[in-house]
Amino acid sequence: MGFTCGIVGLPNVGKSTIFNALTSAKAAAANFPFCTIEPNTGAVPVPDPRLEILAKLAGSQKIIPTQITFVDIAGLIRGASKGEGLGNQFLGHIRSVDAIAHVVRCFEDSDVVHVDGKVDPLSDIETINTELVLADLDSVQKQIQKTEKIAKSGDKDAKARLDVLNSLERHLSSGKLAVNFQSNALPDVLIACTETLLTSKPVLYVLNVSEDEITAPMSIEGDSTIARVARYAKEHDSQCITISGKVESELAELTAGERDEFLQSLGLQSSGLDRLVIAGYKLLNLITFFTVGPKETHAWTAPFGTRAPQCAGKIHSDFERGFIRAEVISYTDFVSTGSEAKAREAGKLRVEGKEYVMQDGDIVHFRFNV
C-alpha cells in the first residue's frame, strides 16, 4: 500500500465527503454514524509542478506522479477504547496507518446532525484524543506486565525499557499524547516503547469549514475557531489546514477549466484537497526524486534520510541488490542547464556511492549489475 494517511474524526464531520472528493471514489457519505464500516482506501497523486517542467525539457511521452494512500476510517465515538460503537475495529485500522489526518467539524448545518448535539471543535478533538490515549495506556500497561517478568531475571535491556514504560504510563495517565512524551532514554529504547502507540503518530488537523471561511488566514492569534484549533495543534507539535468539504465536493464534479474558474472566484490558488495531499506528504516526512527520459518523467517517493541503494530499490529490487552508483543532477541544475546532456557538460552531474543520502528533487540514473 506504500505510505498511508488515515482520515479520522467523529461521525458526521465530513471525513467521507472529503475522501470521496480526494480520491473520486464513492465511499458512502450519509447523515448517520458508522456509515463507513470498512476502511476505504484510495491512492492519490501528489501535486508537483516540477513534473511538468522536467517532462517538457526532456520531451517525455508520459508523466507518472508519486502517490500517497488515504484511508477513510469510520467515525470514532466516546467509549471507543472500551469497545463502544465499533471501537476496537476502528482503533486497529488507525494503528495500521503511518500518519493521521484528523478531520474536525467547524461548520454549522442544521441538516447534518452532530453526534454530541453541538459543534465544538476542541471538544471533538479531545474526545478522539482521549480515546486514543486510553487505548495507548492499555497497550503500555500490557507492555509493562510482559517487561516486568523479563526484568526480574536481570535483563538490562528489559530494565531500561521498564523505566521508560513506567514514565510513559504516568504521562498517558495525565491525558497527554505519546508524541509529547520526553525521555533521556536511548533512541532505540524510546522507539521500541512508543512506535506502536496511536498517539505517537504524526497528526494533521483538517478543519472542515464553511465556504465563507476557506480563505480565512491560519493564525494562532485571536479567539476564532480556526485560531483556537491552530493553537492546540501547535501545542501538540502538529499542523493544521482548512478545507471545505462542500466546496471540494462541487470541485470534484467540474472539468479542469471549470475548476480553475471556480477557485479563482473563491479567491483560491489551489484546492483544499491539493493542500491536504501535500500536507499529508510532508507530514510523513517524505522526499521525491525523479527519473527523467524521453519515455517518461517519473516521480518516486522515499522517507527523508534514505540512502541511494534503498531509493534504487523503490524502482526495482535488482537496482538495490546490484547497486554500483547513482548519477545525480539536482532539479535546479537540470532546469538551469536545460537538459541532462547540458548538465553533464557543465559538470553538474555527480557520481554518488552507497552512502549518499538522496535529496528532494534529485534527478537520478542508477547503475547496477546483477
Side-chain angles (χ1 to χ4, degrees), residues 132-134 136-138 140 167-178 197 199:
L132 300 185
V133 166
L134 289 171
D136 281 349
L137 186 58
D138 181 60
V140 167
S167 297
L168 187 54
E169 182 187 25
R170 291 191 292 273
H171 177 85
L172 293 168
S173 294
S174 66
K176 296 174 183 175
L177 309 181
L197 300 183
T199 62

Side-chain angles (χ1 to χ4, degrees), residues 1 65 92 104-105 133 154 190 229 242 265 275 310 327 344 364:
M1 192 181 288
V104 186
R105 178 173 169 176
V133 166
L190 189 58
V229 177
T242 56
S265 73
R275 288 184 287 109
Q310 288 69 51
E327 297 175 357
R344 192 185 292 267
V364 62

Side-chain angles (χ1 to χ4, degrees), residues 81-82 88 91-92 95 130-148 161-162 164-166 168-170 172-173 178 190-201:
S81 60
K82 305 298 183 187
N88 294 330
L91 291 169
R95 206 176 299 281
T130 296
E131 296 307 320
L132 300 185
V133 166
L134 289 171
D136 281 349
L137 186 58
D138 181 60
S139 175
V140 167
Q141 287 168 343
K142 287 175 180 173
Q143 283 191 67
I144 288 173
Q145 289 176 1
K146 290 179 182 177
T147 309
E148 277 178 337
R161 286 200 309 276
L162 189 59
V164 175
L165 288 168
N166 284 326
L168 187 54
E169 182 187 25
R170 291 191 292 273
L172 293 168
S173 294
L190 189 58
I191 289 169
C193 293
T194 61
E195 65 181 345
T196 62
L197 300 183
L198 300 172
T199 62
S200 69
K201 296 180 184 294

Side-chain angles (χ1 to χ4, degrees), residues 13-30:
V13 297
K15 298 185 314 303
S16 294
T17 299
I18 289 171
F19 177 84
N20 287 346
L22 191 65
T23 62
S24 298
K26 295 300 176 188

Side-chain angles (χ1 to χ4, degrees), residues 312-330:
K314 301 288 180 184
I315 300 173
H316 196 286
S317 57
D318 284 351
F319 287 22
E320 180 176 359
R321 190 157 52 93
F323 180 89
I324 299 172
R325 64 181 182 272
E327 297 175 357
V328 183
I329 306 169
S330 73

